[in-house]
Amino acid sequence: MSEIGGFALVLHSHLPWLPHHGTWPVGEEWLYQAWAHSYLPLVDMLRRLEDDGYRDVLTLGVTPVLAAQMDDPYALRGMHDWLGNWNLRAQYAAVRWRGDDPRLREVAAAEYRASATALTEFETRWRHGFSPVLRPLVDGGVVELIGGPATHPFQPLLDPRVRAFALTLGLDDTALRVGHRPEGIWAPECGYAPGIEDDYSAAGVRRFLVDGPALHGDTAFARPVGNSDVMCFGRDLEVTYRVWSPKAGYPGDTAYRDFHTYDHPSGLKPSRVTGRHVAPHDKKPYEPALAADAVRRHAQDFVDTVAQRLRDLNERHGRPGLVVAAYDTELYGHWWHEGPAWLEAVLRGLPKAGVNVTTLRGAIDAGYVGDPADLPASSWGSGKDWRVWDGAQVADLVEANAALQRDLLDLVDTLGGPARDATLDQAAREALLALSSDWAFMVTKDSAADYARRRAKVHFERYAELSSLLRAGAPTRAAARAADLRRSDGVFGGLDARALRTHE
């Protein structure tokens, strides 16, 4: 069967820095849930595909701040404890539901099997962190790894010096962990400002993602941006939204496991969606066979949708085109329990339909490249502009972040010496953590907004404390406080604040 065009799946794996910053309902628990239900199954799937001879399976974005957490000894211990607790909760549910509906007992048994498998996998393959697990998949050409700025800041709102510093730090950190410096990035929130491609080019970045509307929906080819040699890829929303859109998508099917309905004594999720307007206590027990049927149906629908889209593009352009479907990794498994099974069925089914499954790098090599494009200021957020991160609801955060950047740059320019300074490094580290795009997103979307505001405030105040001590001529006290802060916020050990300076 001749190939009808290319398909590039891009997964964006990201969580803000969470160790030592709360546990439940938002905090470390967020990390451990995504780790258990998304990252472990994804790696397991990729290993199976590798064993079956698949290469260039997908483009995997892993933000430096997420990779750092999954290599962190404290988080590794916490994750091991969490998996053990998951196993105990499943055993408790089996006893609690002993005389209930047999479908509930099967839920408990399935959770016990899944937690036991995850524990074994974690103890045998993950005990030294994520990087040793990820590197063979990158070395073997199973995935293309893309990175990003260190703490996932919304780049259009950064001072150019801070922007370059965060990006270079993130790319260097990935190279240190995995042995490959990414040539592609998932720009945080797909945030773009005209001219940012020049920064990318200077940092060695050759390709990045934008949302489809930034290209007016013309996403059939990678396109050089402006006069640069940097390529942008646009998400094909016509295809992407088959899976998940602001209003609909496969995970809402009545047979899939309901994300929001808990059995609170055990912490398990025993119900299926049942119906959009069905109250939690009226939802029916989860049935794996029904969910498996839905996975097969939706995987085939997606394969058919991609194939038809590529035939349409071929007819329109007179040559094979490309479909880019891009999602948060955490959708698969954490939010959508059946997502990993659906992913594997799709990745196995597309080649049989004549689709060239490839990576962003592979798409360029295959010639899915179009004419240069001039991009507008954009993001993948509401309105496809910057309102989520620069709107009225977060105006105070935007103002505080701008002031923080000005103070940071002045601090390193006026007080920094020729030698590396661990106190200045920690001040820069706290500043980058305060600048994470997650805080504004969570506030605007009213998703754990109190936690987000508290986190932004904590890091801003920690930065301000170090800056004040240094400016007051108290370097000994500043150094002691910086050492204390590193115990909880010691991410990116290679961070060197001297790189922020405008002079040697």
Side-chain angles (χ1 to χ4, degrees), residues 260-282:
H260 299 284
T261 303
Y262 279 88
D263 171 64
H264 288 283
S266 67
L268 303 183
K269 299 173 182 177
S271 304
R272 55 188 173 96
V273 172
T274 310
R276 173 175 279 187
H277 303 295
V278 178
H281 59 273
D282 291 328

Side-chain angles (χ1 to χ4, degrees), residues 379-416:
S379 78
W380 75 338
S382 301
K384 306 304 180 184
D385 53 22
W386 299 352
R387 71 185 65 175
V388 172
W389 300 275
D390 194 22
Q393 289 175 273
V394 291
D396 58 327
L397 293 181
V398 173
E399 182 179 354
N401 287 344
L404 183 153
Q405 293 178 74
R406 289 193 297 270
D407 192 87
L408 173 65
L409 294 174
D410 180 71
L411 185 70
V412 298
D413 280 344
T414 57
L415 296 182

Side-chain angles (χ1 to χ4, degrees), residues 174-382:
T174 299
L176 182 66
R177 294 180 191 280
V178 187
H180 298 265
R181 197 173 195 270
E183 293 186 349
I185 68 165
W186 182 295
E189 320 297 357
C190 291
Y192 174 81
I196 204 171
E197 63 274 7
D198 296 329
D199 296 340
Y200 291 163
S201 182
V205 172
R206 296 290 171 259
R207 44 195 172 271
F208 68 102
L209 273 293
V210 296
D211 212 357
L215 290 165
H216 307 289
D218 188 5
T219 59
F221 304 102
R223 297 186 181 277
V225 181
N227 296 319
S228 76
D229 60 352
V230 179
M231 298 278 186
C232 72
F233 290 80
R235 291 203 308 158
D236 186 326
L237 297 188
E238 183 175 318
V239 173
T240 295
Y241 280 175
R242 297 292 293 179
V243 180
W244 191 250
S245 77
K247 296 182 179 179
Y250 301 144
D253 187 271
T254 59
Y256 290 139
R257 194 173 82 175
D258 188 76
F259 175 83
H260 299 284
T261 303
Y262 279 88
D263 171 64
H264 288 283
S266 67
L268 303 183
K269 299 173 182 177
S271 304
R272 55 188 173 96
V273 172
T274 310
R276 173 175 279 187
H277 303 295
V278 178
H281 59 273
D282 291 328
K283 291 184 181 291
K284 296 180 181 178
Y286 182 67
E287 297 183 57
L290 291 178
D293 286 342
V295 166
R296 285 189 288 270
R297 185 173 70 253
H298 290 143
Q300 188 59 55
D301 177 78
F302 190 81
V303 169
D304 292 344
T305 298
V306 171
Q308 185 58 53
R309 175 72 161 155
L310 289 173
R311 285 191 287 268
D312 292 344
L313 292 175
N314 204 334
E315 182 176 347
R316 183 185 312 166
H317 298 285
R319 64 184 178 109
L322 176 71
V323 166
V324 176
Y327 308 95
D328 286 335
T329 303
E330 296 77 24
L331 169 63
Y332 297 95
H334 174 54
W335 292 98
W336 180 18
H337 176 65
E338 299 80 7
W342 178 90
L343 262 185
E344 184 165 357
V346 164
L347 292 170
R348 291 182 183 275
L350 283 168
K352 298 174 184 177
V355 176
N356 174 26
V357 175
T358 188
T359 59
L360 299 184
R361 177 184 56 221
I364 294 174
D365 293 342
Y368 303 126
V369 178
D371 296 330
D374 291 316
L375 302 174
S378 56
S379 78
W380 75 338
S382 301

